[in-house]
Amino acid sequence: MAASISSNASKRRAEITEMVRAAGYQSIIDLAERFAVTEQTIRRDVNQLCDSGLLRRRHGGVELPSPNANIDYDQRMILNAGAKARIAAAVAARIPDGASVAVSIGTTPEMVVRALRSHNGLRVVTNNIAAALAASSNPSFEVTIAGGRIRPEGRDVLGQQVEQFFSAYKVDFGLFGVGGVDPDGSLLDFTEDEIRAREVISQNCRTKVVVLDHTKFGRAAYVRGGHIADPDLVFCDVAPPMGIAEMIRNAGHELVIASESDAALSLLPGMAEAGE
C-alpha cells in the first residue's frame, strides 16, 4: 500500500510540473480539484517540487522558477525517474550485444544508455552529451559524438552539422524521445532543430524506437514532426490513451508497457490490453 501511495504521489508531481511548464501558473485550489485530493496534499507536493528547484511558489499557487525558463537538466532527470528507469530497462532487454545505436537528445534516452552499460561491444552515435558520457564508461563501447555548439539546458548539440553527422551512419537501432504526443498521434517537440535531428535518425536506422513516459501524452509542445505510428517499437510506462494504442497496432508496430510489475508487457498488433 505504501509503495502504491508513493507511486501515485510521484506521478502527480510529475504531472503538476508538466502542467506548469505547459500553461504557466497553477493555483493550489485548481490543482486540488484537478487531482481530486486535498489542498494539504497538493501543498506537500508543491513544497517538494519547490525544494527540489523544479518550481517556485507564488500567491497561493506555483509557477516555473523563472518565466519561460527550461528546467535544469539534472532536475528534469528527477521527474518521473522511476518510470524512465523501467522504460530504459525494457529497451535494454531488446538490444543485443554488438548492436549499433543512434541516440537522440533527452533524459529518457540517456537513461536507456545507462541501462545498456552492462552490454558488450555497442557502437553508439549521438548528439546527447550526457548519453555519450554514460556510454563511454564502458570500455567495450565505441562512442562517436556530434560536434557543434552545446545547448546547456539540454546538454546536447543541434543544427545542420548534427543532421549531416547522423546521415553518415546506418545503425541497427534509432532511439529517440519526444516532447509530446498530440491526441491525433502527431509527435511534437519544441524546436525545428529537434524535429530534424529526430527525423534524420529515423531515416538512417533499421529499427525505430521511441521512448516516452505518460506525461508526454497531450503535452503542449508545438512543433510537429512524425507520427506515433511511425516507430517500430514504442516504449511507455503505462498504457497510452486508447486511440494512441490503436494507431500503433493498426500500423503493425509494437507497444511495450514497462509497468511497475517485474516484466514489461508487449502488445503486438491484434493483442488487446487487459480490461478492454
Side-chain angles (χ1 to χ4, degrees):
M1 177 64 72
S4 177
I5 292 173
S6 175
S7 175
N8 289 339
S10 176
K11 290 179 180 179
R12 187 173 60 246
R13 288 165 187 164
E15 290 180 22
I16 289 171
T17 304
E18 291 297 331
M19 289 172 64
V20 175
R21 290 184 67 185
Y25 172 84
Q26 302 288 320
S27 74
I28 297 295
I29 293 174
D30 288 345
L31 288 171
E33 291 179 355
R34 162 70 175 77
F35 292 100
V37 296
T38 66
E39 292 180 27
Q40 182 180 10
T41 296
I42 292 296
R43 287 194 181 93
R44 284 197 296 268
D45 292 336
V46 164
N47 286 340
Q48 179 165 336
L49 292 167
C50 292
D51 290 345
S52 300
L54 296 170
L55 302 175
R56 72 176 177 183
R57 302 172 189 83
R58 182 173 73 84
H59 305 306
V62 67
E63 65 182 5
L64 287 176
S66 60
N68 302 316
N70 287 325
I71 296 173
D72 179 80
Y73 191 93
D74 287 333
Q75 295 169 340
R76 280 192 281 136
M77 284 291 287
I78 299 170
L79 285 175
N80 231 12
K84 293 175 182 178
R86 293 193 299 274
I87 291 168
V91 176
R94 295 296 191 94
I95 296 180
D97 290 343
S100 56
V101 187
V103 182
S104 78
I105 65 174
T107 57
T108 307
E110 180 198 345
M111 293 280 278
V112 174
V113 172
R114 290 181 179 276
L116 286 168
R117 288 183 296 183
S118 61
H119 284 48
N120 290 310
L122 295 186
R123 288 159 291 168
V124 178
V125 294
T126 185
N127 61 330
N128 185 326
I129 295 169
L133 289 172
S136 66
S137 67
N138 184 325
S140 77
F141 286 10
E142 178 185 286
V143 183
T144 308
I145 189 167
R149 181 173 296 173
I150 296 172
R151 293 196 311 171
E153 72 276 10
R155 296 188 186 174
D156 54 36
V157 180
L158 290 172
Q160 185 176 6
Q161 74 279 7
V162 171
E163 297 158 35
Q164 294 170 345
F165 167 78
F166 282 122
S167 295
Y169 299 92
K170 185 71 173 183
V171 297
D172 298 319
F173 297 91
L175 173 68
F176 52 87
V178 295
V181 181
D182 193 77
D184 71 1
S186 297
L187 300 181
L188 308 173
D189 267 302
F190 296 98
T191 72
E192 289 81 359
D193 283 345
E194 291 172 345
I195 293 290
R196 284 194 290 267
R198 171 156 51 80
E199 289 180 339
V200 172
I201 290 174
S202 295
Q203 293 162 5
N204 292 280
C205 68
R206 297 179 180 90
T207 301
K208 297 184 285 292
V209 181
V210 64
V211 292
L212 66 161
D213 64 70
H214 67 277
T215 64
K216 301 302 176 69
F217 297 112
R219 189 182 184 196
Y222 67 98
V223 185
R224 181 173 64 182
H227 192 274
I228 193 63
D230 295 338
D232 302 290
L233 291 165
V234 178
F235 288 82
C236 189
D237 59 315
V238 300
M242 186 178 297
I244 297 293
E246 289 177 353
M247 293 173 194
I248 297 168
R249 292 181 200 146
N250 290 340
H253 295 157
E254 186 176 354
L255 169 64
V256 180
I257 301 170
S259 67
E260 294 184 68
S261 62
D262 291 337
L265 172 63
S266 176
L267 298 179
L268 295 164
M271 291 181 64
E273 297 174 39
E276 281 191 14

